[in-house]
């Protein structure tokens, strides 16, 4: 196991009705003037925004609410809010995101930019986020894990570059997790969320660090939880217990507790981010297509690792003479599971075209300060990335 530092300071309030504690929690973490950030309106329609605003008012807090964050969130919302803050049009000392990963990531970007003199995009080109205004979240979809992570993903409008930023400064102070809030999700979004959670686990499983049994086992348990709960929640979207297990698995999957002490992959995420930036597909839907292609391409790098997950998670029988057969069966089992919950299996399912491959590859390996390749479990140059995109048709 590698040396590591791990700090997951987020205070989690989990369960029914916890959104009504938003005011108390903002106060607990020092907020006095709150900017509530939300998305395209699902929280208005469900009445959640009203409940959160009432909770803040009851706690005697000032607040302003600003909606309109789009899925795969764009930099213009962040720039506009920061301009309004710096010109004195609005003022706030606490960000409260009410929504999914896109809303939370936008709140984190504003929080980091609010205490930084330069362009907030510097963070998305690699600058570590040490300081930010405090952020709280009320989560409405189990997916991105942003409610417990030190990460934020934004797409810059010029060039449509989708990039991540990281730092302890943007880990949420608190996150409210009420599984009931996810019951209004369309089945497709529920499935996209579960796919993203599985991807966060696979990206940590694919490691070059030896002897990481504790985190291997944590990851396997979390993936098996999603595989167990998926058919239950797809059959009955109001199944509270299934929603609860999925929600907590999604948060734990991305706090990095299961990734500590081991090198990680993230090639699938980087390859996917170009798809959601270009085609506007849901991040999870993109990952459903990307993962089997990347894993097939990279399998030979460590056949034993792929065979291990095939046996332990997918119940495949170990072929000791031909471990590559077992490894392939595991990748096939993952693909079939994703198809069973309604995820796409080909890039063309969301508009991908072969002639776009050079553009996708160029942005992937050269855009935003990258130097001709991406690196994780294996290093992938332009030729490798091009071959991986070909596998998705
Ligand atoms: O915008 P509204 O109207 O709220 O609708 C959203 C949106 O259309 C809807 N939705 C969310 N909760 C709902 C609901 N509809 C009905 N009922 C509810 N309870 O779902 C749609 C998707 O929302 P979004 O926030 O985009 O989903 P998700 O949580 O999957 O976030 C995706 C974004 O997170 C990034 C992705 O790249 C993508 O941009 N990621 C962020 C990470 C992080 N910060 O740690 C890690 C991830 O790997 C990921 O890259
Ligand atoms: Zn993800």
């Amino acid at each position: 196991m590698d040396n590591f530092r791990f700090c997951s300071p987020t205070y989690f309030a989990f369960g029914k009705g916890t959104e009504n504690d938003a005011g108390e929690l903002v106060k607990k973490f020092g907020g006095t003037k709150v900017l509530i950030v939300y998305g395209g309106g699902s929280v208005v329609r469900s009445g959640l925004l009203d409940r959160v605003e009432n909770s803040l008012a009851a706690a005697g807090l000032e607040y302003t609410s600003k909606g309109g964050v789009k899925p795969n969130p764009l930099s213009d919302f962040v720039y506009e809010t920061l301009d309004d803050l710096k010109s004195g049009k609005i003022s706030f000392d606490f960000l409260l995101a009410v929504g999914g990963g896109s809303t939370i990531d936008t709140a984190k970007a504003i929080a980091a930019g609010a205490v930084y003199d330069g362009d907030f995009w510097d963070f998305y080109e690699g600058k570590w986020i040490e300081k930010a205004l405090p952020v709280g979240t009320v989560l409405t979809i189990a997916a991105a894990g942003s409610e417990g992570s030190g990460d934020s993903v934004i797409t810059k409008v010029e060039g449509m570059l989708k990039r991540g930023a990281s730092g302890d400064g943007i880990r949420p102070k608190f996150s409210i997790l009420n599984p009931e809030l996810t019951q209004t999700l369309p089945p497709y979004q529920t499935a996209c969320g579960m796919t993203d959670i599985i991807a966060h686990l696979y990206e940590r499983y694919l490691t070059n660090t030896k002897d990481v049994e504790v985190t291997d086992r944590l990851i396997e348990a979390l993936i098996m939880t999603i595989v167990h709960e998926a058919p239950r929640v797809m059959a009955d979207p109001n199944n509270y217990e299934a929603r609860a297990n999925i929600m907590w698995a999604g948060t734990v999957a991305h706090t990095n507790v299961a990734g500590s002490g081991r090198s990680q992959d993230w090639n699938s995420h980087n390859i996917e981010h170009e798809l959601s930036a270009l085609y506007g597909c849901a991040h999870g839907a993109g990952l459903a297509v990307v993962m089997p292609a990347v894993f097939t391409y990279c399998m030979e790098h460590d056949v034993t690792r792929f065979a291990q997950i095939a046996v332990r998670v997918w119940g495949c029988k170990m072929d000791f003479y031909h471990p590559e057969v077992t490894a392939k069966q595991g990748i096939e089992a993952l693909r079939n599971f994703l198809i069973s919950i309604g995820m796409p299996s080909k890039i063309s399912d969301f508009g991908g075209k072969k002639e776009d491959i050079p553009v996708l590859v160029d942005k992937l390996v050269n855009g935003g300060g990258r130097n001709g390749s991406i690196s994780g479990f294996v290093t992938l140059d332009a030729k490798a990335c091009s071959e991986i995109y070909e596998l998705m048709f």
Side-chain angles (χ1 to χ4, degrees):
M1 197 189 300
D2 298 334
N3 288 3
F4 67 89
R5 292 181 179 197
F6 175 58
C7 176
S8 177
T10 307
Y11 184 105
F12 293 106
F14 191 100
K16 295 177 183 176
T18 41
E19 65 273 22
N20 300 314
D21 301 337
E24 172 212 320
L25 289 171
V26 169
K27 270 173 106 170
K28 180 179 168 73
F29 290 98
T32 61
K33 276 186 176 181
V34 183
L35 179 67
I36 298 176
V37 180
Y38 64 95
S42 71
V43 301
V44 178
R45 291 189 293 279
S46 67
L48 173 64
L49 185 64
D50 275 348
R51 295 204 292 287
V52 170
E53 287 179 346
N54 289 341
S55 170
L56 265 52
L61 294 164
E62 284 182 43
Y63 64 85
T64 314
S65 299
K66 180 168 170 151
V69 173
K70 297 192 175 78
N72 304 313
L74 300 174
S75 54
D76 53 1
F77 190 104
V78 181
Y79 282 120
E80 185 190 288
T81 311
L82 289 173
D83 284 349
D84 286 352
L85 176 69
K86 288 175 184 174
S87 70
K89 201 166 153 193
I90 48 172
S91 81
F92 51 87
D93 59 18
F94 198 101
L95 274 298
L96 181 60
V98 184
S102 298
T103 297
I104 299 171
D105 287 359
T106 299
K108 286 176 171 178
I110 296 166
V115 296
Y116 180 61
D117 280 340
D119 181 350
F120 93 92
W121 191 253
D122 293 348
F123 297 120
Y124 295 78
E125 292 197 345
K127 193 177 167 62
W128 181 254
I129 305 177
E130 198 63 52
K131 282 191 309 181
L133 288 180
V135 176
T137 86
V138 181
L139 186 67
T140 62
I141 171 171
S146 188
E147 68 279 6
S149 81
D151 306 310
S152 159
V153 183
I154 301 287
T155 300
K156 187 158 193 178
V157 174
E158 301 87 64
M160 292 303 277
L161 273 186
K162 188 174 187 187
R163 291 292 182 266
S166 300
D168 290 335
I170 51 169
R171 282 194 180 255
K173 298 292 175 211
F174 72 81
S175 282
I176 289 175
L177 310 177
N178 175 357
E180 284 178 322
L181 300 178
T182 65
Q183 288 170 348
T184 53
L185 278 166
Y188 186 74
Q189 286 295 345
T190 299
C192 287
M194 292 190 288
T195 307
D196 193 15
I197 294 168
I198 287 179
H200 296 162
L201 294 160
Y202 260 93
E203 299 267 29
R204 290 179 166 91
Y205 204 81
L206 298 183
T207 186
N208 293 309
T209 311
K210 300 294 173 211
D211 292 324
V212 282
E213 194 64 7
V214 63
T215 40
D216 271 3
R217 294 288 186 182
L218 282 171
I219 294 169
E220 290 159 8
L222 290 162
I223 298 177
M224 288 166 82
T225 301
I226 300 296
V227 172
H228 173 73
E229 298 295 5
R232 298 195 330 137
V233 79
M234 297 311 282
D236 176 11
N238 292 321
N239 184 329
Y240 178 84
E241 297 305 335
R243 292 273 186 198
N245 280 302
I246 293 165
M247 191 171 225
W248 190 231
T251 302
V252 175
H254 209 40
T255 59
N256 207 33
V257 66
S260 42
R262 54 197 290 149
S263 70
Q264 302 179 12
D265 188 0
W266 302 104
N267 280 338
S268 291
H269 265 66
N270 286 323
I271 289 169
E272 189 295 310
H273 284 164
E274 300 308 332
L275 300 181
S276 43
L278 190 65
Y279 302 122
C281 62
H283 172 58
L287 286 167
V289 175
V290 168
M291 280 191 287
V294 171
F295 300 167
T296 302
Y297 191 88
C298 300
M299 198 189 82
E300 280 184 7
H301 178 68
D302 190 346
V303 169
T304 310
R305 184 140 281 278
F306 281 101
Q308 176 177 293
I309 198 166
V311 171
R312 291 188 184 174
V313 169
W314 299 106
C316 302
K317 194 164 174 302
M318 185 66 196
D319 183 337
F320 291 98
Y321 296 104
H322 304 287
E324 71 283 358
V325 171
T326 313
K328 271 189 201 152
Q329 285 170 350
I331 297 169
E332 224 27 57
L334 168 68
R335 190 199 307 269
N336 289 337
F337 166 77
L338 296 172
I339 291 170
S340 78
I341 59 172
M343 286 290 90
S345 59
K346 295 191 298 295
I347 193 170
S348 46
D349 291 343
F350 45 77
K353 295 193 275 306
K354 281 208 175 181
E355 54 265 36
D356 292 339
I357 290 179
V359 178
L360 290 164
V361 171
D362 182 49
K363 283 172 70 189
L364 174 64
V365 302
N366 296 319
R370 288 192 187 143
N371 236 341
S373 64
I374 54 169
S375 228
F377 187 51
V378 296
T379 297
L380 300 169
D381 60 12
K383 183 171 170 288
C385 292
S386 180
E387 286 171 22
I388 288 171
Y389 282 122
E390 290 277 355
L391 288 176
M392 297 179 210
F393 284 90

